[in-house]
Amino acid sequence: MGAPPGTSRSKRGHFLRAALPCLALTVLQSAPAAAQSLTPDLFNPNRGGFAALDTLPTRRTAGVPQAPSDALPALPDPNADPRKRQQAPATSRVGQVPTYGLPAANGANASGYDSLNRKRQQPKLYPGQPKPKRPVGPGSPVPSATPDRTLGPPRIAPPPSETAHKTPVAPAMAGNVPGQPLRRRLKVDDDAFGAVGDYAGSFLIKGGLELSAGYDTNPARLNKPVGSPAYVVAPDLLVMSDWERHALVADLRGSFSGYTNNMPATIDGFASPSPVEIDRPDFTGHVDGRLDVDHDFKLTSQLRLRIATDNPGSPNVQAGLQKYPVYAAYGTTLGFDQTFNRFQVAAGATVDRIAYTDSKLTDGSTFSNGDRDFNQYGGIGRFSYDLKPGLKPFVEIEGDTRVHDQAADRNGYFRDSNGGYAKVGSSFEFSRILIGEISVGYSARNYVDPRLSQLAGFLTSGSLIWNASGLTTVKFATDTQIAETTVPGSSGVLVHTYGVEVDHDFRRWLTAVGKFTYGTYDYQNQNRNDKTYSLEGNLIYKLNRNIWIKGTLRRDILDSNQAGSSSRGTVVMLGVRLQN
């Protein structure tokens, strides 16, 4: 069945209405149509830059002039506003510090000094190398003596020499056992060949024994020399406490000089001024104690002992002796030491006694020396001020009374006396180069017997140590004493002694020691003056800390203004010292 006539006509009408315009456009088009071209400006994100003027799709083709009105309007220039073209105001210089030349630390290296304290560039380290330690500052612990090996290339392994032939140390000895108390460190020993000593509890004990033998050309110091082989036995003992508070020190030194030959009993038909047996002992010892009551107040004490004989050649030696009489001088001092800031006061009371043995004569009889025995009571005070580090001036005053066991001596003189001294000086210590003390003063003694005049004189006392170099040390010592005498009519003997010693180390194990001693003996009211000179040289070879070998050469001279009293003597000794 066919479609109705109206429907077919309607479809044909729609088709014609759409096709006729298309046909008209095809006939009227004078040039072929072109599609829109793709340009890079399509992806430009800037404002107005989506498509440039010369790449717009609607631009004029080549050969066709383009009117200015066809271009897009340009965007306004923000700097084109004349109101915004004014220059910025200059920076104010009020209150500013002007800078001239180069600034501080300009051009400083990263590892150099920077006055601005800016952060420095850290050094680059090798792989696996530990970081260097920070510099030591105030309050930091003392660095160890082991050299720092953190700088430079890392060491892969220590050399065999650092660990080879070393005995392992037990943990108990090394002090690294957990819970073990710290071990007490030993004091630094400056002498590589000095005695080490042994500890007995809290006391350090050092002992030694020196044995020597040789020849003395004039051991009795006679005007006409008579020589003899000689030997010397000299022990010594030093005991020191090692306490935090208080102190106790015992220093004991002795010697015995023996001679194989005896001296003649008579000379030119007269009794010899020298004993037949000239063996002589000599001992000097003292024990010092200190009790620290508090930081500024201390109690001090001393016990002392001296055992000796009269010096050979002295006029105090009796004629016709079989051997020298021995005397003992012993005493004590009890005092205190008080410190007031820089001012220091030290005072003490002294008690001493001197006692002689009886003299044994060549005929077998004995002679008493009781008239030479006496007691001495006195006191001493010292006032010092710590002026500056290393310099401490002082004033010292001493007074004493001597009371003899017998009122009159063998010649009928009453020798009880009162005396003392006053001196001023200073102790000093300058960088450990020059240390010690020195003083000068005046000493006097008045006797009970009016026939004995006052014994007085200039006083010098001191002890200096000068470390001239690491190998050379110079020592100086001087002392003044008023000694008793048995010479009839003489008040006493004013003794001045001066000594210089130079020690030089050629090696740590080879030391040379030179000594020179000068002394004067002034016998009051007797017009007798003796002068002594002693020049000595020692060479010490140190095998180890326990054994030393020592050689000695000494020349002694006694020059007296009394006829027949001068003497000369030379001593040569070779010995060994054993110490611990």
Side-chain angles (χ1 to χ4, degrees), residues 11-167:
K11 295 180 178 180
R12 287 192 296 272
H14 288 295
F15 176 78
L16 291 176
R17 283 196 296 271
L20 288 178
C22 294
L23 181 60
L25 291 174
T26 303
V27 174
L28 296 176
Q29 181 68 30
S30 60
Q36 182 179 359
S37 60
L38 182 63
T39 64
D41 297 318
L42 294 176
F43 304 98
N44 189 356
N46 299 325
R47 182 181 178 183
F50 182 79
L53 296 179
D54 56 344
T55 59
L56 288 175
T58 57
R59 69 182 182 278
R60 297 281 183 168
T61 58
V64 180
Q66 182 178 358
S69 59
D70 295 338
L72 292 178
L75 296 177
D77 186 9
N79 299 324
D81 189 355
R83 295 175 299 177
K84 297 182 179 181
R85 289 190 231 174
Q86 299 180 1
Q87 296 182 356
T91 305
S92 176
R93 293 180 291 177
V94 178
Q96 302 292 331
V97 179
T99 302
Y100 303 97
L102 298 177
N106 182 61
N109 196 3
S111 60
Y113 173 74
D114 189 353
S115 60
L116 300 181
N117 197 23
R118 293 179 293 194
K119 186 176 181 181
R120 296 179 176 85
Q121 183 180 359
Q122 298 296 332
K124 294 183 180 180
L125 304 177
Y126 291 90
Q129 183 180 2
K131 295 182 179 180
K133 299 179 181 179
R134 297 178 62 85
V136 177
S140 301
V142 180
S144 62
T146 304
D148 187 7
R149 302 183 184 275
T150 58
L151 301 179
R155 295 169 47 178
I156 301 177
S161 59
E162 292 191 1
T163 57
H165 304 293
K166 287 188 177 182
T167 305

